[in-house]
Amino acid sequence: MPIHIVVGTQFGDEGKGKITDFFSESVDAVVRYQGGTNAGHTVVANNTKFRFHLLPSGIFQGKKCFIGAGACIEPFSLKKEINEVKKVGIKPKLVVDFRTHIIMPYHILLDKEIESSKNSIGTTKKGIGPCYADRALRQGIRFFDILDKKRLRERLEKVLPEKIVFLKAKKIGFDFTLESLLKKYSLIGEKLKVFAGDASKKISSLLEAEKKVLFEGAQGTFLDNDFGTYPFVTSSHPIAGSIFTGTGLGLTHVNRVTGVIKAYTSRVGEGPFPTELNGKIAEFIREKGKEYGTTTGRPRRIGWLDMPMLRTSNRFNGFTDIALTKIDVLSELKKVRYCSEYELNGERLLEMPSNLELLSECKPVYKKVKSFKLKGTEKSFSELDVNARKYINLIEKELKTRVKLVSIGPDRKQTILR
Ligand code: IMP
């Protein structure tokens, strides 16, 4: 089965959007399988810049696109993105699974409330956590429900009273009633009806017909709800294995897992970050790499490349190859380092410990990288500065995986294949 997964190997924002866009050209369909409006990628198409949160990048290439049940959607944002695509003359070929959960206004209020408390972890405040929590509590509203007014009324009658009690108890202001939600959400359901379907079944049929399907991961491995730096994580599962639960596919053969690695590390929000940098180098990288959140505009925290983290990521995801992004950002920096191991109580660790307390005690062991200069116009690996090639080779050696794609700038043309 020709399944290709593109997965974020760090804390998200590795530049997956560009990589997915690049690979989309040669596939038949592109699938989002987790996360929601917390994700963000910038796509340039028809000379216009789009900031998308929900639609898979393949939409601009006229590919069939799917949003699987493991994702959650905010229907008004989805409609807005669809309208933007239509405005530039593209007819979106999109199917959103009936089972996908809907982010409701009370999810957003609740997310904001938790974020204003001492339990804040620095979420995007898009309602992601409360929406997935309702899914687990069996109190969610699904895409199915907003397509049928009678069903939506039944669901709201079941779940809304408790939400209202909670909002009132917490003195959180809200301006909706059951009737207003019913009207608003059945109306948007009506507008989105043409995009509703059994994505799971349709993706399976494509795979059976030997069509190539690209699975576009959102966020990154260490934001995974189980395997990330819990509790400083998102509420879905960005690791590669979740394509099966996120789309309802059998354990069919995956023939490619591209781990997207940024040439340095970044993180938005709270949580441990062993190789974090402060000061001038971090500022330089942040500005040059435009390291500000696509969804929230927050400045991202910056650090050196972290091999223990990437070795662990490789074990969680099983990379068949690596796409290395933003190496150009490090060009001309006099001092470049990477962390080869962690030191903990006199011992050397090759991987990230699963225990967060231990992780925060780990000291990174750094190695020097000889500085390099990139022009951004190089067309092949051999044209790259010899020291940049050495950096790429050492990543391959450390992770025992081939770097098959190197991105040397934001433009599609600034992509080198090996
Ligand atoms: P949430 O997903 O909005 O609940 O946020 C949980 C954590 O994941 C926070 O630290 C966010 O900053 C982070 N996060 C969520 N989405 C992204 C993303 O697309 N890129 C990077 N970090 C993200």
Side-chain angles (χ1 to χ4, degrees):
M1 295 277 184
I3 291 181
H4 182 181
I5 308 172
V6 171
V7 69
T9 60
Q10 295 154 311
F11 295 115
D13 307 315
E14 296 91 353
K16 293 180 295 296
K18 173 178 165 174
I19 306 303
T20 320
D21 181 56
F22 188 85
F23 287 134
S24 294
E25 205 161 49
S26 56
V27 301
D28 300 290
V30 185
V31 182
R32 265 288 299 270
Y33 52 95
Q34 44 76 223
T37 32
N38 48 350
H41 51 249
T42 310
V43 185
V44 180
N46 294 6
N47 295 324
T48 315
K49 207 179 212 180
F50 296 90
R51 284 192 172 185
F52 276 1
H53 304 282
L54 284 166
L55 289 179
S57 328
I59 209 97
F60 288 107
Q61 321 228 9
K63 304 289 172 176
K64 289 192 176 83
C65 285
F66 297 93
I67 298 180
C72 55
I73 57 166
E74 200 292 298
F76 296 93
S77 305
L78 180 63
K79 185 73 179 72
K80 190 166 160 255
E81 289 183 18
I82 290 170
N83 288 349
E84 281 179 41
V85 169
K86 282 186 179 163
K87 253 190 233 158
V88 292
I90 296 167
K91 198 163 174 260
K93 292 185 195 152
L94 174 73
V95 176
V96 182
D97 201 290
F98 289 126
R99 308 160 180 96
T100 309
H101 279 252
I102 303 287
I103 298 177
M104 298 297 284
Y106 45 82
H107 292 139
I108 298 171
L109 290 174
L110 206 58
D111 199 0
K112 287 182 178 162
E113 168 68 14
I114 299 168
E115 281 303 299
S116 66
S117 76
K118 62 177 185 350
N119 294 324
S120 157
I121 63 137
T123 74
T124 58
K125 300 183 189 165
K126 298 287 177 189
I128 305 295
C131 178
Y132 279 115
D134 269 354
R135 178 178 83 167
L137 282 169
R138 283 103 27 193
Q139 290 190 2
I141 305 282
R142 300 197 292 172
F143 197 19
F144 267 132
D145 303 321
I146 65 168
L147 300 176
D148 175 339
K149 204 167 180 179
K150 187 168 159 273
R151 197 214 300 270
L152 181 59
R153 179 181 287 284
E154 280 166 17
R155 284 304 292 159
L156 285 172
E157 278 171 355
K158 277 209 169 80
V159 304
L160 194 63
E162 236 175 81
K163 307 289 169 205
I164 288 183
V165 168
F166 187 82
L167 292 172
K168 282 186 177 161
K170 284 274 189 187
K171 298 193 171 51
I172 303 169
F174 63 96
D175 60 2
F176 50 77
T177 59
L178 190 148
E179 292 305 323
S180 73
L181 288 183
L182 183 64
K183 192 168 165 205
K184 198 170 161 190
Y185 282 80
S186 52
L187 213 67
I188 190 74
E190 194 57 45
K191 286 185 182 154
L192 290 173
K193 206 170 208 155
V194 288
F195 300 107
D198 191 335
S200 170
K201 205 166 173 187
K202 288 186 196 300
I203 300 165
S204 286
S205 307
L206 286 174
L207 289 169
E208 260 162 42
E210 294 293 318
K211 299 284 181 206
K212 286 191 196 153
V213 184
L214 185 71
F215 290 77
E216 172 179 0
Q219 289 88 42
T221 297
F222 293 94
L223 293 177
D224 188 277
N225 196 259
D226 282 320
F227 297 100
T229 52
Y230 193 90
F232 304 99
V233 293
T234 191
S235 305
S236 67
H237 298 282
I239 61 168
S242 87
I243 71 155
F244 298 114
T245 50
T247 50
L249 287 179
L251 298 181
T252 46
H253 179 65
V254 174
N255 68 352
R256 191 165 177 192
V257 180
T258 301
V260 184
I261 297 179
K262 187 153 64 179
Y264 49 93
T265 314
S266 71
R267 169 163 212 163
V268 245
E270 306 301 317
F273 187 170
T275 63
E276 184 164 17
L277 286 165
N278 287 300
K280 287 219 165 71
I281 296 179
E283 276 164 37
F284 173 88
I285 295 177
R286 185 177 301 114
E287 291 315 309
K288 193 168 172 195
K290 299 192 175 62
E291 295 294 352
Y292 291 87
T294 317
T295 305
T296 58
R298 290 180 289 176
R300 296 180 185 141
R301 298 158 65 194
I302 305 291
W304 295 126
L305 197 67
D306 184 334
M307 290 303 173
M309 178 176 176
L310 292 171
R311 286 186 201 104
T312 316
S313 187
N314 197 1
R315 183 161 54 78
F316 289 152
N317 294 296
F319 312 150
T320 53
D321 57 279
I322 291 166
L324 184 69
T325 61
K326 293 187 127 176
I327 188 167
D328 52 298
V329 175
L330 302 182
S331 167
E332 293 185 66
L333 249 184
K334 285 204 184 71
K335 181 178 158 182
V336 180
R337 301 277 183 273
Y338 77 95
C339 162
S340 59
E341 294 154 318
Y342 294 154
E343 198 183 278
L344 180 70
N345 304 326
E347 267 187 59
R348 292 289 175 103
L349 302 184
L350 285 173
E351 286 202 12
M352 233 179 175
S354 46
N355 176 329
L356 211 63
E357 280 74 45
L358 291 185
L359 177 62
S360 51
E361 285 168 29
C362 284
K363 302 262 176 306
V365 178
Y366 289 116
K367 289 201 173 135
K368 283 186 189 169
V369 175
K370 282 196 182 142
S371 67
F372 49 81
K373 192 172 172 182
L374 295 174
K375 295 191 284 284
T377 51
E378 293 87 342
K379 295 278 169 256
S380 65
F381 189 70
S382 57
E383 274 182 54
L384 293 174
D385 181 321
V386 63
N387 288 338
R389 277 186 275 154
K390 281 188 183 159
Y391 189 44
I392 296 166
N393 289 337
L394 87 83
I395 295 170
E396 290 188 318
K397 205 167 146 226
E398 292 276 4
L399 301 176
K400 300 183 183 72
T401 310
R402 187 98 166 133
V403 174
K404 285 212 173 156
L405 184 156
V406 183
S407 170
I408 54 166
D411 204 282
R412 236 163 177 263
K413 286 187 222 117
Q414 294 171 298
T415 312
I416 295 172
L417 288 181
R418 289 168 86 197

